[in-house]
């Protein structure tokens, strides 16, 4: 409990006396604290109450004096964690207070109080976790409240057209009741109210559901796996399960999951820019800077930390609690559609204004008649109520035309198809972090992919071992010289970020952790070379470490033997790079031989031979150090990297993923270039690329299809731009080379997708149009820089994302074609009828009904079409392709002209041709118009194929929506006569409506036989930018 007490200076003296009572028992201390708080609270507050009136007068002028405040923290310590409480732990890290840390006994003292062992971690059983939650809280953040359903209802009400309609409905309701009484007079106004309510309800429910779906996806994306030590075993848990006292293992690219203190590690540097805004990396060490903050990123090195604060008790937690994720992210396609909607809305507004003028002029000139054939306006003889009622009716009709003209279903269709595709892509092992990536992926022209784990299984196994120039495959490893074997033990057991867990029960079960390469080498050393890792660590002390990174492709250590004090340097890494650092090598007998040029060529051939067999080549080298040197200006000793002795080399096999060749071929067939960018040597890269189908046997080696990073880096800008399209494989590449290739490809007009897993891949992932990070091997830095996370690290999932991206784009185009057909037909019909006959054939309620079922149900039906194989038969859309293509203009104009022609014939000649009354004719026009849209939904399923019914049985949602639309239309016409202003139709009239609507199918089939020009039709209109 924390109390802020306003007190005088005497309180300070009493507080000092209380703190100096060091000899009191813990129980007596607690009693004294309670007594102190009670006495001084009353003494502090009593005189303040007497001065309340004076203070209240001066409060607005004088702010409270901070110097007169004392903050007294009274924490009842948890019985299991004596000596520390949440307040003291929070103060240590938040204030970076070394003095306070020393008072608590340093990191060791805090560890002891929290019952944490640096080596074995916490016990991690249910009782232990529960007590830590009770004492220090959970690692979750208090989030701002999400928008309620009423928020989305209010947003829908803000639409000006809806407000105008509600105002018109209110006028119509009032005049109707006054003129015809409550029993009959509410129909016109009430029906508009109901229609508007339905539109608002559907829009609000849809937006509310999408908001909840995006919120759920954001929870998944923030669920970060963290490596901890519990009960002496390294294991992965979710970031939300971290507790105070936890021992967390950190490596390059990790996010620090909570506030804590540094235990041990090497070259650990942290990027604190997310907290401080400073871009410089902070070096973490035991004595000067042991403080680690939640939300920061590990930039280099590795280490362990003990967690001191979690959740809302961390600085990051306080900050995150005030930040809400924006689920209303606007994608580029949504912005283009908003512009399109705005332009169409302006056209609709102009048409509505003209209709309003024509109807008002015709009314006030006496050109309109009521149902009995009498003039509606007779000058001064017409009642004022009748005039106002007529004007309101005319305004309502004009506003309704605007409502129908504005295709608000377009943004809804984008939201629906993006949300639907995001959900499906999650099931297909792809988590979308940025909405725009869904649609952009459909336009991708080039995919730059990693090799390890993406094209291959990332399940490494040592299959080759070379000692000197001899392959020891199948030989007895006990024949290896003991001194060489000991050096191997040191180079493998100490120069690693991996670890080994041995079961305490059986003692034989081994569990390896770390990267796949580390696990493979450790497994081989312990099972084949009989290495005792615990003994190696016990007999040697590591003085300095240079951690592995993707640029240097090596790692090194400087160690000292406990027994004789001898120091050795050990290096491990890419074989040709380690070989370049060596001047000697060990042979099978354990003798040291000179590595002259002739021998170096032989070793190069061994490396190339393993690489050509798709093996990753790792070499080990060693050097005894007589005198430890220090780096200039640095505290840590230098790790020498020249004049080394080559210990040996291993070849690791990483088989290609099943199905990856087919996925690569699918991408290539779809017109997407696949380039492999890897850190492996050129021979391994060629072998894997050929196996995966990226390289073909008939491609010659001298045509620049295979290149090394250093060579690509050395080209001039002109040479790079000339050769970048031809390159299929880049070997021995650095993250900078990957970034350089992405920049070149984008300058050439490509839409580039890039896969990456390392921290250094972040610039390339950000630069690419679509960044694809790996969910298993990817670091948190890479994931945060990416747009989509491939959860299974599989290239097949990348191809699936490409297919879904094209599906999103295609579904939007289908709905645009369908929606614009409705808009064009409705606008033309109402405008022509208003100008020529002085009335609109479709009433406000009928137009709102059309707007509802076409915008909402139509969007739902067409936006949820699943990807088809045909999508991968087309070439990429690219950056400049218009959204409304020639094919779409051809289809929508043909259908719109057909609907306009038929409905205008019914409007002007329907009564005489069919011998029916005016009300029945109006109902016939309304029913035909709606059914034409229902049948046209089938036509919109395929933009180019003539068979629009293919695969329709698989889309049950589409069939369900069409069925619901038809049922609702029957109800509107047959049972809601007063509401919809309709008359019942007989079987013959229903058959006529169905026949006219069904004729759109053969028209569609015929129209798709008409060839279209290469020049976009949209370039002639204002839509050319869409």
């Amino acid at each position: 409990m924390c109390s802020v007490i306003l007190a005088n200076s005497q309180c300070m003296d009493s507080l000092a006396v209380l703190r100096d009572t060091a000899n009191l028992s813990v129980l007596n201390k607690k009693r004294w604290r309670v007594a102190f708080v009670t006495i001084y609270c009353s003494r502090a507050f009593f005189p303040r109450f007497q001065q309340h009136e004076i203070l209240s007068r001066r409060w607005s002028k004088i702010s409270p004096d901070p110097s007169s405040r004392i903050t007294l923290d009274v924490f009842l310590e948890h019985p299991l964690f004596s000596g520390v409480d949440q307040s003291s732990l929070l103060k240590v890290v938040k204030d970076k207070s070394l003095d306070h840390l020393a008072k608590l006994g340093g990191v060791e003292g805090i560890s002891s109080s929290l019952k944490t062992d640096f080596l074995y971690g916490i016990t991690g059983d249910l009782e232990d976790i529960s007590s830590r939650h009770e004492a220090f809280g959970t690692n979750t953040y208090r989030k701002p409240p999400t928008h309620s359903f009423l928020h989305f209802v209010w947003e829908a009400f803000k639409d000006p057209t809806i407000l105008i309609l509600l105002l018109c409905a209110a006028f119509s309701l009032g005049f109707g009741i006054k003129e015809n009484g409550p029993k009959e007079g509410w129909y016109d106004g009430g029906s508009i109210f109901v229609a508007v309510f339905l539109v608002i309800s559907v829009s609000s429910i849809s937006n509310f559901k999408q908001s909840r779906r995006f919120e759920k996806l954001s929870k998944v994306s923030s669920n970060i796996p963290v490596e901890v030590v519990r009960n002496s075993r390294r294991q992965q848990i979710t970031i939300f399960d971290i507790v105070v006292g936890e021992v967390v293992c950190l490596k390059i690219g990790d996010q620090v999951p909570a506030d804590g203190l540094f235990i041990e590690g090497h070259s650990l540097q942290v990027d604190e820019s997310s907290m401080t805004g400073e871009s410089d990396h902070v070096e973490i060490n035991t004595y000067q800077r042991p403080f680690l903050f939640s939300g920061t990123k590990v930039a280099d090195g590795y280490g362990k930390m003990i967690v001191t604060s979690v959740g809302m008790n961390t600085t990051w937690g306080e900050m995150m609690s005030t930040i809400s994720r924006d689920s209303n992210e606007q994608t580029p396609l949504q912005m283009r559609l908003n512009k399109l909607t705005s332009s169409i809305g302006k056209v609709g507004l102009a048409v509505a204004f003209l209709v309003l003028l024509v109807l008002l002029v015709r009314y006030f000139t006496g050109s309109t008649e009521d149902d009995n054939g009498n003039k509606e306006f007779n000058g001064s003889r017409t009642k004022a109520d009748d005039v106002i009622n007529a004007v309101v009716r005319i305004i309502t009709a004009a506003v309704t035309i605007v409502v129908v003209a504005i295709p608000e279903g377009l943004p809804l269709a984008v939201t629906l198809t993006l949300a639907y595709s995001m959900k499906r892509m999650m099931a297909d092992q792809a988590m979308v972090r940025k909405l725009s990536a869904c649609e952009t992926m459909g336009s991708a022209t080039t995919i730059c992919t990693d090799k390890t784990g993406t094209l291959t299984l990332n399940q490494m196994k040592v299959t080759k071992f070379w000692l000197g120039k001899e392959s020891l495959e199948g030989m007895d490893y006990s024949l290896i010289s003991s001194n060489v074997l000991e050096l191997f033990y040191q180079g493998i057991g100490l120069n690693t970020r991996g670890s080994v867990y041995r079961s305490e029960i059986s003692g034989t079960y081994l569990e390896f952790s770390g990267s796949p390469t580390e696990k493979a080498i450790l497994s081989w050393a312990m099972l084949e070379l009989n290495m005792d890792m615990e003994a190696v660590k016990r007999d040697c002390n590591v003085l300095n470490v240079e951690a592995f990174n993707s640029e240097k492709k090596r790692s090194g250590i400087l160690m000292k033997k406990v027994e004789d004090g001898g120091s050795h340097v050990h290096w491990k890494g890419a074989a040709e790079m380690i070989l370049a650092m060596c001047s000697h090598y060990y042979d099978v007998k354990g003798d040291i031989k000179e590595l002259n040029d002739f021998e170096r060529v032989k070793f190069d051939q061994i490396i190339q031979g393993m690489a050509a067999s798709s093996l990753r080549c790792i070499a080990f080298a060693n050097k005894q150090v007589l005198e430890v040197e220090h780096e200039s200006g640095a505290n840590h000793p230098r790790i020498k990297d020249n004049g080394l002795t080559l210990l040996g080399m291993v070849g690791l096999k990483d088989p290609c993923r099943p199905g990856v060749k087919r996925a690569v071929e699918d991408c290539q067939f779809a017109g997407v270039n696949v380039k492999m960018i890897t850190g492996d040597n050129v021979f391994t890269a060629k072998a894997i690329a050929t196996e995966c189908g990226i390289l073909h046997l008939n491609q010659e080696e001298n045509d620049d299809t295979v290149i090394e990073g250093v060579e690509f880096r050395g080209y001039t800008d002109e040479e790079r731009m000339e050769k970048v399209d031809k390159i299929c494989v880049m070997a021995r590449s650095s993250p900078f080379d990957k970034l350089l290739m992405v920049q070149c490809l984008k300058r050439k007009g490509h839409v580039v997708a890039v896969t990456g897993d390392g921290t250094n891949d972040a610039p390339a992932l950000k630069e690419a149009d679509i960044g694809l990070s790996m969910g298993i091997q990817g670091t948190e830095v890479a994931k945060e820089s990416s747009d989509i996370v491939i959860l299974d690290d599989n290239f097949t999932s990348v191809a699936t994302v490409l297919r879904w991206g094209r599906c999103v784009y295609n579904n939007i185009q289908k709905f645009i074609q369908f929606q614009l057909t409705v808009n064009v037909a409705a606008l033309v019909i109402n405008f022509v009828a208003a100008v020529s006959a002085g009335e609109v054939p479709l009433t406000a309620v009928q137009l709102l009904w059309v707007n509802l079922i076409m915008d909402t149900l139509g969007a739902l039906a067409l936006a949820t079409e699943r990807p088809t194989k045909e999508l991968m038969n087309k070439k990429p859309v690219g950056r400049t392709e218009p959204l409304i293509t020639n094919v779409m203009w051809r289809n929508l104009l043909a259908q719109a002209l057909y609907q306009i022609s038929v409905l205008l014939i019914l409007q002007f000649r329907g009564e005489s041709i069919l011998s029916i009354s005016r009300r029945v004719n109006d109902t016939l026009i309304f029913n035909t118009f709606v059914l034409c849209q229902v049948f046209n939904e089938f036509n919109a399923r395929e933009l180019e194929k003539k068979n629009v019914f293919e695969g329709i049985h698989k889309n049950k949602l589409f069939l369900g929506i069409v069925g619901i639309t038809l049922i609702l239309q029957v109800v509107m016409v047959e049972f809601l006569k007063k509401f919809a202003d309709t008359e019942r139709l007989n079987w013959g009239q229903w058959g006529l409506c169905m026949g006219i609507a069904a004729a759109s199918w053969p028209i569609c089939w015929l129209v798709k036989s008409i060839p279209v020009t290469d020049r976009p039709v949209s370039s002639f209109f204002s839509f050319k930018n869409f």
Side-chain angles (χ1 to χ4, degrees), residues 353-374:
F353 182 71
L354 287 174
V355 169
L356 178 66
L357 278 180
V358 169
L359 292 180
L360 285 174
V361 168
R362 290 181 67 88
Y363 174 78
F364 285 111
T365 55
S367 303
T368 56
E369 299 176 348
D370 58 20
D371 293 337
N372 300 319
N374 301 320

Side-chain angles (χ1 to χ4, degrees), residues 98-332:
L98 290 171
D99 292 338
H100 198 64
L101 177 61
K103 287 179 183 177
L104 294 173
V107 180
E108 292 81 5
I110 290 176
S111 169
S112 177
S113 299
L114 292 175
K115 299 194 180 328
T116 299
D117 187 282
F118 288 160
L119 188 60
Y120 298 106
I122 61 174
T123 58
D125 55 40
L126 288 175
E127 186 179 348
D128 183 36
I129 299 298
S130 176
S131 61
R132 292 175 191 276
H133 282 164
E134 183 184 340
F136 306 107
T138 60
N139 199 30
T140 53
Y141 307 130
R142 186 171 59 245
K143 295 183 178 179
T146 55
H147 293 308
S148 66
F149 176 69
L150 291 177
H151 167 81
F152 294 99
V153 173
W154 178 247
E155 287 297 315
F157 269 112
K158 288 182 179 179
D159 188 340
T161 55
I162 293 292
L163 293 174
I164 294 170
L165 277 174
L166 288 172
L167 189 64
C168 292
F171 276 114
S172 181
L173 185 65
F175 287 118
I177 291 173
K178 183 179 179 181
E179 187 175 340
N180 302 315
K183 193 174 182 180
E184 299 287 336
W186 69 273
Y187 287 129
D188 285 344
S191 57
I192 296 174
F193 269 123
V194 172
V196 170
F197 170 77
L198 285 173
V199 171
I200 290 173
S201 298
V202 171
S203 173
S204 303
I205 291 169
S206 174
N207 290 330
F208 177 71
K209 285 180 69 177
Q210 300 321 316
S211 172
R212 289 292 179 268
R213 186 168 291 170
F214 292 137
E215 186 184 342
K216 190 182 293 184
L217 284 169
S218 73
K219 285 181 181 177
V220 175
S221 65
S222 61
N223 189 6
I224 300 167
V226 180
E227 189 173 14
V228 300
V229 180
R230 287 186 178 180
N231 201 19
S232 76
R233 180 182 178 186
R234 278 198 186 192
Q235 53 188 280
Q236 274 201 346
I237 62 172
T238 172
I239 192 171
F240 304 126
D241 291 340
I242 293 285
V243 293
V244 169
E246 198 90 70
V247 174
V248 178
C249 304
L250 300 173
K251 61 182 183 300
I252 295 177
D254 283 351
Q255 176 177 311
V256 179
D259 287 0
L261 297 166
F262 178 72
I263 299 174
E264 62 175 10
H266 295 281
S267 309
L268 187 66
Q269 292 189 353
V270 174
D271 177 7
E272 293 186 353
S273 58
S274 58
M275 302 292 295
T276 64
E278 299 292 332
S279 58
D280 293 337
H281 296 161
V282 177
E283 186 171 346
I284 304 298
N285 53 51
T286 309
Y287 304 107
Q288 295 175 322
R289 288 180 176 170
F291 310 108
L292 289 156
F293 293 93
S294 174
T296 57
K297 306 291 189 303
V298 178
D300 197 8
Y302 60 90
K304 288 182 181 178
M305 66 174 280
I306 181 171
V307 174
T308 57
S309 299
V310 293
M312 291 303 299
N313 295 317
T314 65
T315 309
W316 183 255
E318 291 175 9
M319 187 169 66
M320 290 301 290
S321 68
T322 62
I323 299 172
S324 59
R325 287 181 178 269
D326 183 14
S327 60
N328 297 319
E329 175 195 352
Q330 287 281 302
T331 72

